[in-house]
Amino acid sequence: MLHHAPLITTIAVGLVAAFILGFLAQKARLSPIVGYLAAGLLIGPYTPGYVGDVDLATQLSEIGVILLMFGVGLHFSFKELLAVRRVALPGAIAQMTVATALGTGLGFVLGWGTAGSLLFGLALSVASTVVMLRALEERQMLDTRAGHIAVGWLIVEDLAMVIALVVVPVLAGGADVTGAELAGELALTVARVAGFVALMWFVGRRVIPWTLARVADTGSRELFTLGVLAIGLGVAVGAAWLFEVSFALGAFFAGMILRESDLSHRAAEDSLPLRDAFAVLFFVAVGMLVDPSIVWRQPVALLATVAIIVGGKLVVAYALVRALKYSRSMALVVGASLAQIGEFSFILVTLGADLEVLHQDAQDLVLAGAIVSIILNPLLFAWVARVYARREGVAVDDAEGPVESHATGHVVVVGYGRVGGRVAEGLWGAEIPVVVIDDDETRVERIRAAGHEAILGNAARAKVLHAAGIEAARAVLVGVPDPLNAGAIVAKARELAPDADIVARGHGKRDVAYLQAQGASRVLVGVHEIADLMVERAGGPPNEPEAT
């Protein structure tokens, strides 16, 4: 019976095994990811007992990658992507170059030849989308400046892999390949990516938000959720089919376009359960691919591979971010985010095997190196969190507490951007005590240097709000522009201070409803406030607040 339903069986057995072993890992104070990987190893072809369908598991895990990148796009805007280009573009290129060189050198030592060694090195250079996003989300760093840099870095790596997947088969053709043929393939790839981006910018940003708004008007929750999934998966598959770009890249741009809609926060919430479930299947699929015999067949080579993935990539990323004048804590977060490998590495080694240019040991080392780096990544982040807390006074899980404020009767201002900065300056001018919370180290240092109190961290975290003295504050003013991030901050602030006056900013009526549902006392929308002020200046009666 089981042989006639491989899809259902693989999903069921994989999720049950992941649940049991993930729960045991959590009880043992390890990351649940360790349990998910162990579940994959347990049902994989290299261990006795039931063997799941590896091909099906790999395809299911790809859905997890698509949904995760779609979710990231919902938190990311073109402006934010362009804002980190100065560090993400040169950083990603330099790190990939160094990691590829180190891996190629190891391949030469092991006698795999030029083509196989280069492909092995390239597979070690690209980070896993799923692992990075999981690590940043667990510590609520995805919406911080370091998180934006890490995601921008990942997008550059993704684009590089799109080019690599085109170039590698051409180069594998051997001496018959001419420079003109290679240049032609590269130009075609760049044209395809540019065509996809143009289509999403000029057509998608009008059609996608409009379509979702019409679906929302029907009042059907299930139809709305289906529409969100259809957009994310449909754009990802369509991009791969029409433009030959990766699923992840297509889903990311779909999310960024949907962010233009007032419904973006609802779309993110509705797709979250599926993102989590398929992310678990990703780790199960990774575990199924690993041949554990590589541990005793090539122990020294495996240690060298892990050293390149974890140590080499961390050091290079740290040095590059520091060289671009960013803080030590930000450099550590970015470095830790990238110190692992995943899905693109598996695609590359599969391609190398099909083209018969990659040694079997190289495939096994990449897969084993991936699973070891994925296990080590939460431990690495825990260490980074402690360093981050000690050096910057920011609150993170499993770390020392932040620098605390002892103010009372003060105002907590969250976000020191254009809005939050103006609010704080006005309050200081009125001699009202203020504690600012911001995730940008440079801003926090500038505030402290001016003699004011500031807390570095993400205000969606209880430790950060406690450090700002939220229990003794007269009001909390949330000036961050992203409604999703603002909603998380408002909800946590309301939980810790049930009687506080919490004021947030929004961009439209849907933001007002969403933020008030999270606990905001009032939501201010710029265009509404300007209109009310104009009426008041003209001598008209004041309008009632948009929603109170």
Side-chain angles (χ1 to χ4, degrees):
M1 181 70 178
L2 295 179
H3 297 294
H4 298 296
L7 176 62
I8 297 173
T9 307
T10 299
I11 293 175
V13 175
L15 289 178
V16 169
F19 166 69
I20 294 171
L21 295 177
F23 178 77
L24 292 175
Q26 184 76 35
K27 283 294 185 181
R29 303 185 67 82
L30 297 172
S31 169
I33 291 174
V34 176
Y36 306 154
L37 293 168
L41 192 61
L42 187 66
I43 67 173
Y46 301 103
T47 53
Y50 169 78
V51 176
D53 192 312
V54 177
D55 290 336
L56 282 176
T58 303
Q59 290 184 50
L60 289 169
S61 71
E62 193 70 49
I63 297 176
V65 176
I66 291 171
L67 293 175
L68 276 167
M69 286 304 287
F70 179 67
V72 172
L74 286 169
H75 288 80
F76 225 77
S77 67
F78 279 101
K79 182 185 291 186
E80 290 166 342
L81 188 61
L82 292 174
V84 299
R85 70 187 185 280
R86 191 175 70 88
V87 59
L89 183 60
I93 293 172
Q95 189 205 43
M96 290 185 72
T97 301
V98 173
T100 301
L102 291 173
T104 302
L106 179 58
F108 281 135
V109 170
L110 297 173
W112 293 337
T114 303
S117 298
L118 275 170
L119 196 56
F120 174 72
L122 192 61
L124 302 186
S125 69
V126 57
S128 165
T129 300
V130 180
V131 178
M132 175 192 285
L133 298 183
R134 267 302 184 84
L136 292 172
E137 283 179 338
E138 283 177 1
R139 288 171 171 77
Q140 298 182 20
M141 292 181 177
L142 192 56
D143 290 312
T144 65
R145 181 66 62 85
H148 287 169
I149 291 174
V151 171
W153 200 301
L154 185 71
I155 297 304
V156 176
E157 288 189 351
D158 200 351
L159 289 168
M161 286 299 104
V162 170
I163 295 173
L165 292 175
V166 173
V167 173
V168 168
V170 176
L171 293 178
D176 295 335
V177 179
T178 65
E181 289 175 333
L182 182 58
E185 290 290 340
L186 286 174
L188 183 59
T189 301
V190 172
R192 285 169 176 159
V193 173
F196 169 67
V197 173
L199 180 65
M200 293 299 292
W201 180 254
F202 292 108
V203 179
R205 66 195 296 256
R206 293 173 174 81
V207 173
I208 291 176
W210 180 87
T211 301
L212 201 61
R214 301 290 77 74
V215 174
D217 289 342
T218 66
S220 172
R221 183 178 181 85
E222 63 187 60
L223 195 60
F224 180 84
T225 302
L226 181 60
V228 172
L229 296 176
I231 289 170
L233 293 169
V235 172
V237 174
W241 181 43
L242 295 174
F243 299 96
E244 297 185 18
V245 303
S246 69
F247 289 134
L249 190 64
F252 175 77
F253 275 98
M256 278 209 303
I257 294 301
L258 188 53
R259 189 182 187 275
E260 303 288 326
S261 167
D262 292 335
L263 297 165
S264 59
H265 44 75
R266 182 178 167 189
E269 289 178 352
D270 284 5
S271 60
L272 182 61
L274 272 177
R275 293 207 307 267
D276 289 343
F278 279 101
V280 170
L281 288 175
F282 166 81
F283 293 109
V284 172
V286 172
M288 292 174 70
L289 293 170
V290 177
D291 180 0
S293 68
I294 191 66
V295 175
W296 53 84
R297 285 193 289 110
Q298 293 275 16
V300 176
L302 178 57
L303 285 174
T305 301
V306 173
I308 293 171
I309 296 170
V310 179
K313 293 174 71 176
L314 173 62
V315 169
V316 172
Y318 177 86
L320 289 168
V321 176
R322 287 292 290 150
L324 292 169
K325 308 300 183 184
Y326 286 90
S327 70
R328 291 184 180 89
S329 57
M330 189 175 291
L332 281 172
V333 171
V334 174
S337 300
L338 300 161
Q340 33 71 23
I341 59 173
E343 54 277 5
F344 260 123
S345 303
F346 310 148
I347 294 171
L348 282 173
V349 296
T350 302
L351 179 62
D354 293 342
L355 296 172
E356 299 181 348
V357 297
L358 198 62
H359 195 277
Q360 181 61 46
D361 280 354
Q363 300 176 54
D364 292 338
L365 285 173
V366 169
L367 295 172
I371 200 169
V372 173
S373 69
I374 289 171
I375 290 172
L376 291 177
N377 199 252
L379 304 176
L380 183 61
F381 253 100
W383 170 74
V384 167
R386 290 186 175 88
V387 175
Y388 197 88
R390 186 168 59 251
R391 290 186 175 177
E392 304 293 345
V394 60
V396 288
D397 290 341
D398 303 321
E400 300 171 12
V403 175
E404 293 189 0
S405 168
H406 300 288
T408 57
H410 59 292
V411 176
V412 176
V413 175
V414 181
Y416 196 71
R418 289 183 300 173
V419 173
R422 187 175 178 85
V423 169
E425 292 288 345
L427 293 172
W428 286 324
E431 298 185 351
I432 296 173
V434 176
V435 177
V436 175
I437 300 175
D438 200 89
D439 60 15
D440 187 315
E441 295 91 338
T442 304
R443 291 175 180 172
V444 169
E445 289 173 2
R446 188 167 68 244
I447 295 168
R448 290 173 178 170
H452 303 298
E453 288 193 86
I455 304 295
L456 177 64
N458 188 337
R461 316 188 84 172
K463 287 184 179 179
V464 174
L465 291 172
H466 281 309
I470 187 171
E471 296 88 350
R474 68 164 81 171
V476 180
L477 310 181
V478 182
V480 298
D482 180 12
L484 286 173
N485 194 23
I489 294 167
V490 168
K492 183 58 67 175
R494 178 58 68 203
E495 176 188 333
L496 298 176
D499 300 324
D501 184 20
I502 302 175
V503 181
R505 61 179 288 200
H507 303 288
K509 291 184 178 180
R510 288 190 174 93
D511 287 350
V512 173
Y514 169 68
L515 291 169
Q516 287 192 327
Q518 300 305 305
S521 307
R522 185 177 179 188
V523 181
L524 303 179
V525 178
V527 291
H528 298 167
E529 302 305 317
I530 292 171
D532 292 347
L533 182 59
M534 286 181 171
V535 171
E536 184 180 332
R537 286 296 178 91
N543 290 324
E544 291 296 319
E546 183 67 26
T548 57

PDB file of all heavy atoms in Angstrom, residues 312-330:
ATOM      1  N   GLY A 312      36.325  29.739   7.345  1.00  0.00           N
ATOM      2  CA  GLY A 312      36.781  30.584   6.237  1.00  0.00           C
ATOM      3  C   GLY A 312      35.765  31.634   5.845  1.00  0.00           C
ATOM      4  O   GLY A 312      36.081  32.824   5.722  1.00  0.00           O
ATOM      5  N   LYS A 313      34.507  31.220   5.669  1.00  0.00           N
ATOM      6  CA  LYS A 313      33.475  32.161   5.242  1.00  0.00           C
ATOM      7  C   LYS A 313      33.161  33.193   6.331  1.00  0.00           C
ATOM      8  O   LYS A 313      32.914  34.363   6.029  1.00  0.00           O
ATOM      9  CB  LYS A 313      32.212  31.400   4.842  1.00  0.00           C
ATOM     10  CG  LYS A 313      32.390  30.551   3.586  1.00  0.00           C
ATOM     11  CD  LYS A 313      31.180  29.691   3.299  1.00  0.00           C
ATOM     12  CE  LYS A 313      30.013  30.519   2.834  1.00  0.00           C
ATOM     13  NZ  LYS A 313      28.852  29.678   2.463  1.00  0.00           N
ATOM     14  N   LEU A 314      33.185  32.758   7.597  1.00  0.00           N
ATOM     15  CA  LEU A 314      32.943  33.693   8.697  1.00  0.00           C
ATOM     16  C   LEU A 314      34.029  34.760   8.749  1.00  0.00           C
ATOM     17  O   LEU A 314      33.736  35.968   8.851  1.00  0.00           O
ATOM     18  CB  LEU A 314      32.880  32.932  10.018  1.00  0.00           C
ATOM     19  CG  LEU A 314      32.798  33.791  11.294  1.00  0.00           C
ATOM     20  CD1 LEU A 314      31.536  34.636  11.300  1.00  0.00           C
ATOM     21  CD2 LEU A 314      32.853  32.913  12.537  1.00  0.00           C
ATOM     22  N   VAL A 315      35.279  34.339   8.673  1.00  0.00           N
ATOM     23  CA  VAL A 315      36.402  35.284   8.768  1.00  0.00           C
ATOM     24  C   VAL A 315      36.385  36.265   7.605  1.00  0.00           C
ATOM     25  O   VAL A 315      36.561  37.479   7.789  1.00  0.00           O
ATOM     26  CB  VAL A 315      37.738  34.515   8.821  1.00  0.00           C
ATOM     27  CG1 VAL A 315      38.908  35.471   8.656  1.00  0.00           C
ATOM     28  CG2 VAL A 315      37.858  33.743  10.134  1.00  0.00           C
ATOM     29  N   VAL A 316      36.160  35.752   6.394  1.00  0.00           N
ATOM     30  CA  VAL A 316      36.165  36.619   5.216  1.00  0.00           C
ATOM     31  C   VAL A 316      35.015  37.631   5.280  1.00  0.00           C
ATOM     32  O   VAL A 316      35.204  38.827   5.038  1.00  0.00           O
ATOM     33  CB  VAL A 316      36.069  35.776   3.921  1.00  0.00           C
ATOM     34  CG1 VAL A 316      35.872  36.687   2.711  1.00  0.00           C
ATOM     35  CG2 VAL A 316      37.319  34.938   3.745  1.00  0.00           C
ATOM     36  N   ALA A 317      33.801  37.158   5.627  1.00  0.00           N
ATOM     37  CA  ALA A 317      32.659  38.072   5.714  1.00  0.00           C
ATOM     38  C   ALA A 317      32.883  39.116   6.800  1.00  0.00           C
ATOM     39  O   ALA A 317      32.590  40.305   6.603  1.00  0.00           O
ATOM     40  CB  ALA A 317      31.380  37.281   5.993  1.00  0.00           C
ATOM     41  N   TYR A 318      33.403  38.689   7.944  1.00  0.00           N
ATOM     42  CA  TYR A 318      33.672  39.622   9.038  1.00  0.00           C
ATOM     43  C   TYR A 318      34.652  40.707   8.589  1.00  0.00           C
ATOM     44  O   TYR A 318      34.433  41.906   8.809  1.00  0.00           O
ATOM     45  CB  TYR A 318      34.230  38.864  10.241  1.00  0.00           C
ATOM     46  CG  TYR A 318      34.613  39.754  11.403  1.00  0.00           C
ATOM     47  CD1 TYR A 318      33.664  40.139  12.343  1.00  0.00           C
ATOM     48  CD2 TYR A 318      35.919  40.221  11.553  1.00  0.00           C
ATOM     49  CE1 TYR A 318      34.009  40.969  13.402  1.00  0.00           C
ATOM     50  CE2 TYR A 318      36.274  41.051  12.602  1.00  0.00           C
ATOM     51  CZ  TYR A 318      35.310  41.415  13.529  1.00  0.00           C
ATOM     52  OH  TYR A 318      35.657  42.235  14.561  1.00  0.00           O
ATOM     53  N   ALA A 319      35.749  40.282   7.951  1.00  0.00           N
ATOM     54  CA  ALA A 319      36.771  41.232   7.514  1.00  0.00           C
ATOM     55  C   ALA A 319      36.220  42.216   6.481  1.00  0.00           C
ATOM     56  O   ALA A 319      36.508  43.420   6.527  1.00  0.00           O
ATOM     57  CB  ALA A 319      37.967  40.476   6.943  1.00  0.00           C
ATOM     58  N   LEU A 320      35.400  41.719   5.555  1.00  0.00           N
ATOM     59  CA  LEU A 320      34.855  42.585   4.513  1.00  0.00           C
ATOM     60  C   LEU A 320      33.878  43.612   5.080  1.00  0.00           C
ATOM     61  O   LEU A 320      33.912  44.783   4.713  1.00  0.00           O
ATOM     62  CB  LEU A 320      34.153  41.727   3.446  1.00  0.00           C
ATOM     63  CG  LEU A 320      35.075  40.898   2.547  1.00  0.00           C
ATOM     64  CD1 LEU A 320      34.269  39.883   1.756  1.00  0.00           C
ATOM     65  CD2 LEU A 320      35.839  41.809   1.591  1.00  0.00           C
ATOM     66  N   VAL A 321      33.000  43.166   5.997  1.00  0.00           N
ATOM     67  CA  VAL A 321      32.040  44.099   6.583  1.00  0.00           C
ATOM     68  C   VAL A 321      32.749  45.145   7.430  1.00  0.00           C
ATOM     69  O   VAL A 321      32.402  46.332   7.411  1.00  0.00           O
ATOM     70  CB  VAL A 321      30.993  43.333   7.418  1.00  0.00           C
ATOM     71  CG1 VAL A 321      30.044  44.303   8.121  1.00  0.00           C
ATOM     72  CG2 VAL A 321      30.188  42.392   6.523  1.00  0.00           C
ATOM     73  N   ARG A 322      33.778  44.738   8.175  1.00  0.00           N
ATOM     74  CA  ARG A 322      34.556  45.685   8.975  1.00  0.00           C
ATOM     75  C   ARG A 322      35.312  46.666   8.083  1.00  0.00           C
ATOM     76  O   ARG A 322      35.421  47.852   8.401  1.00  0.00           O
ATOM     77  CB  ARG A 322      35.537  44.934   9.872  1.00  0.00           C
ATOM     78  CG  ARG A 322      34.903  44.223  11.033  1.00  0.00           C
ATOM     79  CD  ARG A 322      34.331  45.186  12.046  1.00  0.00           C
ATOM     80  NE  ARG A 322      35.385  45.900  12.761  1.00  0.00           N
ATOM     81  CZ  ARG A 322      35.268  47.116  13.250  1.00  0.00           C
ATOM     82  NH1 ARG A 322      34.148  47.791  13.069  1.00  0.00           N
ATOM     83  NH2 ARG A 322      36.267  47.689  13.909  1.00  0.00           N
ATOM     84  N   ALA A 323      35.832  46.158   6.943  1.00  0.00           N
ATOM     85  CA  ALA A 323      36.568  47.025   6.018  1.00  0.00           C
ATOM     86  C   ALA A 323      35.673  48.114   5.431  1.00  0.00           C
ATOM     87  O   ALA A 323      36.157  49.188   5.061  1.00  0.00           O
ATOM     88  CB  ALA A 323      37.180  46.197   4.891  1.00  0.00           C
ATOM     89  N   LEU A 324      34.364  47.841   5.385  1.00  0.00           N
ATOM     90  CA  LEU A 324      33.411  48.827   4.872  1.00  0.00           C
ATOM     91  C   LEU A 324      32.837  49.706   5.987  1.00  0.00           C
ATOM     92  O   LEU A 324      31.793  50.339   5.830  1.00  0.00           O
ATOM     93  CB  LEU A 324      32.285  48.109   4.125  1.00  0.00           C
ATOM     94  CG  LEU A 324      32.726  47.434   2.815  1.00  0.00           C
ATOM     95  CD1 LEU A 324      31.640  46.519   2.278  1.00  0.00           C
ATOM     96  CD2 LEU A 324      33.097  48.479   1.767  1.00  0.00           C
ATOM     97  N   LYS A 325      33.540  49.721   7.142  1.00  0.00           N
ATOM     98  CA  LYS A 325      33.267  50.645   8.246  1.00  0.00           C
ATOM     99  C   LYS A 325      31.996  50.318   9.041  1.00  0.00           C
ATOM    100  O   LYS A 325      31.402  51.198   9.658  1.00  0.00           O
ATOM    101  CB  LYS A 325      33.181  52.096   7.742  1.00  0.00           C
ATOM    102  CG  LYS A 325      34.364  52.537   6.901  1.00  0.00           C
ATOM    103  CD  LYS A 325      35.678  52.453   7.658  1.00  0.00           C
ATOM    104  CE  LYS A 325      36.840  52.976   6.819  1.00  0.00           C
ATOM    105  NZ  LYS A 325      38.144  52.825   7.494  1.00  0.00           N
ATOM    106  N   TYR A 326      31.573  49.065   9.020  1.00  0.00           N
ATOM    107  CA  TYR A 326      30.447  48.666   9.862  1.00  0.00           C
ATOM    108  C   TYR A 326      30.980  48.131  11.189  1.00  0.00           C
ATOM    109  O   TYR A 326      32.143  47.749  11.304  1.00  0.00           O
ATOM    110  CB  TYR A 326      29.593  47.607   9.166  1.00  0.00           C
ATOM    111  CG  TYR A 326      28.747  48.162   8.042  1.00  0.00           C
ATOM    112  CD1 TYR A 326      29.227  48.216   6.735  1.00  0.00           C
ATOM    113  CD2 TYR A 326      27.465  48.651   8.279  1.00  0.00           C
ATOM    114  CE1 TYR A 326      28.455  48.727   5.696  1.00  0.00           C
ATOM    115  CE2 TYR A 326      26.687  49.166   7.253  1.00  0.00           C
ATOM    116  CZ  TYR A 326      27.192  49.204   5.966  1.00  0.00           C
ATOM    117  OH  TYR A 326      26.430  49.716   4.955  1.00  0.00           O
ATOM    118  N   SER A 327      30.104  48.033  12.181  1.00  0.00           N
ATOM    119  CA  SER A 327      30.526  47.663  13.529  1.00  0.00           C
ATOM    120  C   SER A 327      30.902  46.192  13.628  1.00  0.00           C
ATOM    121  O   SER A 327      30.553  45.370  12.774  1.00  0.00           O
ATOM    122  CB  SER A 327      29.406  47.952  14.518  1.00  0.00           C
ATOM    123  OG  SER A 327      28.333  47.057  14.316  1.00  0.00           O
ATOM    124  N   ARG A 328      31.617  45.852  14.714  1.00  0.00           N
ATOM    125  CA  ARG A 328      32.022  44.465  14.939  1.00  0.00           C
ATOM    126  C   ARG A 328      30.811  43.558  15.092  1.00  0.00           C
ATOM    127  O   ARG A 328      30.779  42.445  14.567  1.00  0.00           O
ATOM    128  CB  ARG A 328      32.887  44.377  16.200  1.00  0.00           C
ATOM    129  CG  ARG A 328      34.250  45.030  16.080  1.00  0.00           C
ATOM    130  CD  ARG A 328      35.066  44.802  17.344  1.00  0.00           C
ATOM    131  NE  ARG A 328      36.386  45.412  17.249  1.00  0.00           N
ATOM    132  CZ  ARG A 328      36.655  46.649  17.609  1.00  0.00           C
ATOM    133  NH1 ARG A 328      35.681  47.415  18.083  1.00  0.00           N
ATOM    134  NH2 ARG A 328      37.866  47.138  17.495  1.00  0.00           N
ATOM    135  N   SER A 329      29.811  44.025  15.840  1.00  0.00           N
ATOM    136  CA  SER A 329      28.626  43.184  16.074  1.00  0.00           C
ATOM    137  C   SER A 329      27.895  42.888  14.775  1.00  0.00           C
ATOM    138  O   SER A 329      27.467  41.760  14.526  1.00  0.00           O
ATOM    139  CB  SER A 329      27.692  43.858  17.073  1.00  0.00           C
ATOM    140  OG  SER A 329      27.313  45.138  16.620  1.00  0.00           O
ATOM    141  N   MET A 330      27.746  43.900  13.912  1.00  0.00           N
ATOM    142  CA  MET A 330      27.087  43.682  12.634  1.00  0.00           C
ATOM    143  C   MET A 330      27.892  42.727  11.762  1.00  0.00           C
ATOM    144  O   MET A 330      27.336  41.836  11.099  1.00  0.00           O
ATOM    145  CB  MET A 330      26.878  45.012  11.905  1.00  0.00           C
ATOM    146  CG  MET A 330      26.014  44.895  10.658  1.00  0.00           C
ATOM    147  SD  MET A 330      25.663  46.491   9.891  1.00  0.00           S
ATOM    148  CE  MET A 330      24.595  47.225  11.123  1.00  0.00           C
TER     149      MET A 330
END
